[in-house]
Amino acid sequence: MRTLATRWLIGILILAALLASVAACGSGDGGRSLSLEDAVGQMLLIGFPGEQLDEETVALLDDIAPGGVILFDYDLPSGGAKPRNITSPEQLRALIAELQGRADIAYFIAIDVEGGLINRLKSAYGFSIDLPSHQTLGTGSVAATGVAASASAAELRALGINWNLAPVVDVNVFPESPAIGALERSFSADPEVVAAHAAAFARAHAAVDVISSLKHFPGHGSAAGDTHLGVTDVTASFVGEDELAPYRMLIEDGYEDPVMTAHIVNRDLDPSGRPATLSTAIVTGLLREELGFKGVILSDDMQMGAIVEQYSLERAAVEAIKAGVDVVLIANQLSDDRTEVYRVKRAILAAVAEGEISEDRIYESVERILALKRRYGMVD
């Protein structure tokens, strides 16, 4: 028969094991059970080349311990000469299973499947859903958008993809905008139509446990330039009430999945002329405080021309976090230098060590990230 002391000791050991299990998932403690290095890793969403994991990518994932990865079908650095991450449904499932098998904390597996031209799961590779462009969907009923998005989201889920970087809620202010209107990425010039279709799109994804993302905050629809290529100033063309309206309506209606920032310059919103992603006035002041958004804020790709023309990648990442961004996207599509991810992580850790960014600021983002992962069943 066990003595009282023995039973007491067993009880303590069981309790300690349970607490350790909770801590391992970062549950409810602001992520502070994670080391600072691992916490910073959770704030990085990174890309890599290859349809399967090679030694260099395995080392990158092990060293960086990112919160997630982003997958593409076309390898931009090689001009398509090499395969990127997606060649068939069977290959993609195997890659995602291998990725998740290596993750200590389940990865975000992110992809761009907006529909139309912006779709990484093309029928040419054997995928079954050919989602129409936002512009096409926006001319039909909201119910039809929900049906189409449901079918697409179900395919994403079956493949193991848990984060779609869509819908686009840019209002079609300038239909010839090279990055938005000209590519049929906007639902409509009417902000209410945009909000209604975006809500249906996001609900369809949430119903099958796929995260969605509103983009590109505070609005890219009036831009005459393309932030992929260089600095794009919308100060004179931005229609504030219209372009902010979809975010305002969706957030007030309870939207809590991520919002992606734009790299546009808007001097009316931030007189300093910083890209929105690096602007405390826009990210924290406008999105967090004025609009009341409490979810994860994701940057657009930090290697885009609008950023790297003016800043080093390391400085830009630090400034984005200071502005209020939670997840820094480094897609490695506009550069084939994977060492840049290492430099970014070191720069963020150095900024914390030097007091430029507080540890509290890091763990504030990590709690939002882990809360999102818990909500979608990725961690306990």
Side-chain angles (χ1 to χ4, degrees), residues 87-88 121-127:
T87 57
S88 73
L121 305 182
K122 296 178 175 62
S123 58
Y125 309 138
F127 296 100

Side-chain angles (χ1 to χ4, degrees), residues 40-47 64 66-71 107-111 163 165 260 298-299 301 327-332 341:
V40 170
Q42 284 295 303
M43 297 177 70
L44 300 176
L45 184 68
I46 66 174
I64 299 299
V69 299
I70 181 169
L71 305 179
Y107 289 139
F108 291 125
I109 308 291
I111 197 166
W163 193 354
L165 304 186
M260 176 189 280
L298 166 69
S299 79
D301 182 10
V327 176
V328 175
L329 173 56
I330 306 171
N332 282 324
V341 179

Side-chain angles (χ1 to χ4, degrees), residues 2 44 48 99 104 135 191 228 274 306:
R2 291 172 177 164
L44 300 176
F48 61 89
L99 282 163
D104 292 329
Q135 181 173 300
H228 290 87
R274 282 178 165 238

